[in-house]
Amino acid sequence: MRKGSHAYEQALDALVGILRDRARQGAEPLQYGQLSNELQRLGHQVAAHEGPMPHLLEDACARESADGSLPMLSALVVRQETRMPSGGFFKLARRAPYRRTGDDVELWVNELRALAAHHARR
């Protein structure tokens, strides 16, 4: 699946929908494998830890908040071993336009809280 292709855009739409639903239900994190399984259930073959997954997660954040002012949807996706997002999430969170601060745990917890609050109002 190539970034920008029709299949990619459809998978991105599905991923954003899954994460928005998750955020509305209290922002409980899900593992990469669980997200991959949900996408597969919807007809999108996206491996949990390779291929387009990192790009889809980054693009989901950009689609939700191009200026970085809203919470990052990708905060909901965690590694099974650590129950925290991958290093890619923290790199993205610290660069423009998001520019989140704090240590990894503080940054992530703040993002989860912001997601839950933002989506509870919708």
Side-chain angles (χ1 to χ4, degrees):
M1 176 184 311
R2 180 186 254 167
K3 185 173 177 166
S5 69
H6 183 67
Y8 181 92
E9 294 301 319
Q10 287 183 318
L12 178 58
D13 290 343
L15 183 139
V16 167
I18 291 166
L19 295 181
R20 282 180 181 163
D21 287 346
R22 195 75 175 208
R24 282 185 205 104
Q25 296 169 12
E28 182 69 28
L30 74 162
Q31 297 169 15
Y32 282 89
Q34 292 171 308
L35 178 56
S36 178
N37 290 341
E38 280 294 307
L39 288 167
Q40 184 173 0
R41 187 181 63 74
L42 297 171
H44 308 285
Q45 302 302 316
V46 179
H49 300 289
E50 55 191 48
M53 184 65 84
H55 302 290
L56 288 166
L57 290 169
E58 183 172 343
D59 288 346
C61 291
R63 179 180 284 182
E64 189 78 355
S65 181
D67 69 357
S69 64
L70 297 178
M72 299 172 66
L73 284 175
S74 64
L76 293 169
V77 187
V78 299
R79 297 175 50 96
Q80 180 178 359
E81 311 81 43
T82 62
R83 305 274 189 221
M84 289 186 63
S86 71
F89 165 76
F90 295 106
K91 287 178 187 175
L92 177 63
R94 288 189 170 96
R95 71 176 199 235
Y98 308 102
R99 300 193 191 282
R100 305 299 197 257
T101 59
D103 68 27
D104 286 355
V105 173
E106 177 185 21
L107 183 157
W108 179 53
V109 168
N110 287 341
E111 209 64 25
L112 288 176
R113 286 182 183 145
L115 271 169
H118 175 74
H119 286 277
R121 294 189 298 261
R122 297 180 121 198

